[in-house]
Amino acid sequence: MNSSSMEIKPKKHYEILDGLRGVAAILVVIFHAFEAFNEGSRFKQIMNHGYLAVDFFFLLSGFVVAYAYDDRWEKMSQWEFYKRRLIRLQPMVIMGMVIGASLYYLQASNVAFPQIATMPIWKLILVMLAGFVLIPLPPSMEIRGWGETFPLNGPAWSLFFEYIANILYALFFRKFSNKVLGFLVLIFAGMLVHYTVFGPKGDVIGGWSLTMQELYVGFTRLLYPFFAGVLLSRLGKLIHVKGAFWICSVLILVIFSIPRLGDENSLWMNGLYESIAIIVLFPLIVAIGAGGEIKNPLSLKICKALGDISYPIYIIHYPLIYCYMAWVFENKVPLKDGYGIGIGIVISSIAIAYLCLKFYDEPVRNWLQNKFQKRKVS
C-alpha cells in the first residue's frame, strides 16, 4: 500500500486541554482589560502574570501538534501538514485584522494613540493586508505608536511565532529522537532562565516588535514551551487525578493572579517565579489535564464550549482593548469608574468570538477542508 491510499484518521480530542485553553483565553482578556490601569508600569498590573497565557498556549500547542502528527508522517507530506495548520489558524487571523481595521479610527486618543487621527486610510489598508498573511512590520511602518509587528491586532505576534514553531517541527524536530529533543529542551529551558532571572526585566514580557531584542524574547518564549510540549506528548507521562479540569483551572488562575514578586532592585525574584511556572508548573498542568477524564456531561459541555471559543477569543479581543484603553487614557478614568465597561469588554469579546466561530470560522474551515485538504494524502 503506498502513501496515496493511506487514510489519516482523526484522533480523539483531549477535552480537558480544550477547556483549559478556553480558561486561559478568557483570563488573558481580563488581564488585558486591567492593563488600562497599570499606569504604564509592569509593577502595578492587576492579575499580574496573565501574560503567561501565551507561554501556556505554546506548550499546549506543542503537545497537541505532536500528539496529532508525530505518527502520521509516513502518510502525510510536509505541505499537507502546513495546509492543515493554515486552515486551522489563518481564517481567524484574517478576521482579527478586519476587526482591528474596522475599529482603528475609533481608538483615536491624544493620550494613548495620537497617530491614529492623522493616519491615511491607504496605509491602514496596507497594514491590514500585510496582517492577513502575517508579514511582521518594522517599527518604521507601525501605525499605532507601540512598535507592534501587527498594530491592528497586537496578539497576532504569537501566531507568527506559532507558525515558526510548526515549520521548525515539520522540518527538523519531528525527526529528533527523544534524547536529542530532551537535550534541546534543556538548552531552551536554560535560555529562559537566563533571560528571566539574569536579564534586564525579570519577566518574559515582550516578543511583539521587529527588533533584535524583541525577537530574542519571542524565541525565548517560544522554544522551551512548544518543544517541551512535544516532548511531553512523546513521553506520555500523564497524571491521572479526579476533577482534573477544575484542579487545573484553579492552578492556572492562581499562577496568573500571583502579584509581581520583588521590585526594581530584585528583578530575579519574579524571573525565577516565571521560570518555575513555565518550566515546571505548565507541563504539570498539561500532564494532569491530558491524563484526566470527564464523566460529568455538564463538565464535558463546558470544556467543549471553552475549547471552541478559545482561539477566536484570543485573536479578536485586542482591538476592543485598544478602544477601552483609548477611553480610559483620554478621560483619565480610574479603576473604580471603569471596571464596569471593562466587564462589558470581556463579555463582548466572548460574544463576538462566538459569532465569528459559528458564522465565519467553522464554515470557512469546512469549505477549505473540503476543497484543499485531502482525506487521503499523497
Side-chain angles (χ1 to χ4, degrees), residues 70-83:
D70 251 5
D71 60 353
R72 291 178 168 178
W73 288 99
E74 291 183 357
K75 308 173 184 178
M76 177 182 64
S77 67
Q78 279 198 42
W79 176 232
E80 183 64 26
F81 171 75
Y82 297 143
K83 282 195 298 183

Side-chain angles (χ1 to χ4, degrees), residues 176-197:
F176 294 155
S177 67
N178 286 354
K179 288 184 178 180
V180 172
L181 181 59
F183 176 72
L184 291 173
V185 166
L186 188 63
I187 292 176
F188 298 153
M191 288 174 55
L192 182 63
V193 172
H194 179 266
Y195 181 75
T196 56
V197 178

Side-chain angles (χ1 to χ4, degrees), residues 37 70 95 103 166 173 216 220-221 266 279 348 357 368:
F37 304 98
D70 251 5
M95 177 57 72
L103 298 179
N166 279 260
F173 282 79
Y216 180 79
T220 300
R221 297 186 72 174
S266 54
I279 295 172
S348 297
L357 173 73
L368 291 171

Side-chain angles (χ1 to χ4, degrees), residues 281-335:
L281 299 181
F282 286 169
L284 177 66
I285 289 171
V286 172
I288 294 173
E293 293 184 9
I294 300 181
K295 297 182 179 180
N296 184 291
L298 178 60
S299 295
L300 184 61
K301 289 181 179 179
I302 291 172
C303 284
K304 185 179 186 309
L306 288 171
D308 287 345
I309 64 171
S310 59
Y311 177 49
I313 288 174
Y314 178 73
I315 204 63
I316 64 91
H317 79 278
Y318 213 68
L320 279 74
I321 297 294
Y322 289 134
C323 294
Y324 184 53
M325 286 184 172
W327 174 70
V328 170
F329 293 174
E330 188 71 19
N331 298 281
K332 299 181 181 178
V333 180
L335 176 60

Side-chain angles (χ1 to χ4, degrees), residues 13 18 21 61 64-65 69 80-94 159 162-163 166 304 306-313 315 357 360-362 364-366 368-369 373:
H13 284 293
D18 288 344
R21 186 183 294 108
S61 182
V64 171
V65 165
Y69 296 107
E80 183 64 26
F81 171 75
Y82 297 143
K83 282 195 298 183
R84 287 171 177 264
R85 299 307 292 154
L86 283 167
I87 289 171
R88 176 65 186 92
L89 299 174
Q90 199 62 24
M92 283 307 302
V93 168
I94 293 172
L159 270 297
E162 171 79 16
Y163 279 146
N166 279 260
K304 185 179 186 309
L306 288 171
D308 287 345
I309 64 171
S310 59
Y311 177 49
I313 288 174
I315 204 63
L357 173 73
Y360 168 74
D361 187 36
E362 288 181 342
V364 169
R365 282 192 283 123
N366 289 336
L368 291 171
Q369 287 169 354
Q373 185 173 296

Side-chain angles (χ1 to χ4, degrees), residues 154-348:
W157 75 269
S158 62
L159 270 297
F160 173 74
F161 278 98
E162 171 79 16
Y163 279 146
I164 291 175
N166 279 260
I167 292 169
L168 290 174
Y169 165 76
L171 288 177
F172 307 111
F173 282 79
R174 67 180 175 87
K175 303 175 184 178
F176 294 155
S177 67
N178 286 354
K179 288 184 178 180
V180 172
L181 181 59
F183 176 72
L184 291 173
V185 166
L186 188 63
I187 292 176
F188 298 153
M191 288 174 55
L192 182 63
V193 172
H194 179 266
Y195 181 75
T196 56
V197 178
F198 303 103
K201 298 180 179 179
D203 55 49
V204 294
I205 298 174
W208 48 76
S209 293
L210 199 61
T211 66
M212 290 304 296
Q213 174 64 24
E214 288 293 303
L215 286 172
Y216 180 79
V217 177
F219 278 106
T220 300
R221 297 186 72 174
L222 170 73
L223 291 174
Y224 171 79
F226 187 90
F227 292 108
V230 173
L231 183 62
L232 181 62
S233 176
R234 286 187 179 183
L235 295 176
K237 302 295 184 181
L238 307 182
I239 300 172
H240 307 282
V241 298
K242 292 183 178 180
F245 170 67
W246 302 106
I247 292 172
C248 291
S249 297
V250 171
L251 286 174
I252 292 170
L253 175 61
V254 171
I255 291 169
F256 288 4
S257 300
I258 292 290
R260 187 179 176 100
L261 305 180
D263 55 23
E264 292 90 341
N265 299 314
S266 54
L267 297 173
W268 66 270
M269 294 177 62
N270 193 72
L272 181 61
Y273 168 73
E274 293 189 12
S275 293
I276 293 172
I278 297 170
I279 295 172
V280 179
L281 299 181
F282 286 169
L284 177 66
I285 289 171
V286 172
I288 294 173
E293 293 184 9
I294 300 181
K295 297 182 179 180
N296 184 291
L298 178 60
S299 295
L300 184 61
K301 289 181 179 179
I302 291 172
C303 284
K304 185 179 186 309
L306 288 171
D308 287 345
I309 64 171
S310 59
Y311 177 49
I313 288 174
Y314 178 73
I315 204 63
I316 64 91
H317 79 278
Y318 213 68
L320 279 74
I321 297 294
Y322 289 134
C323 294
Y324 184 53
M325 286 184 172
W327 174 70
V328 170
F329 293 174
E330 188 71 19
N331 298 281
K332 299 181 181 178
V333 180
L335 176 60
K336 64 182 180 66
D337 296 331
Y339 75 89
I341 301 297
I343 293 172
I345 291 292
V346 175
I347 295 173
S348 297

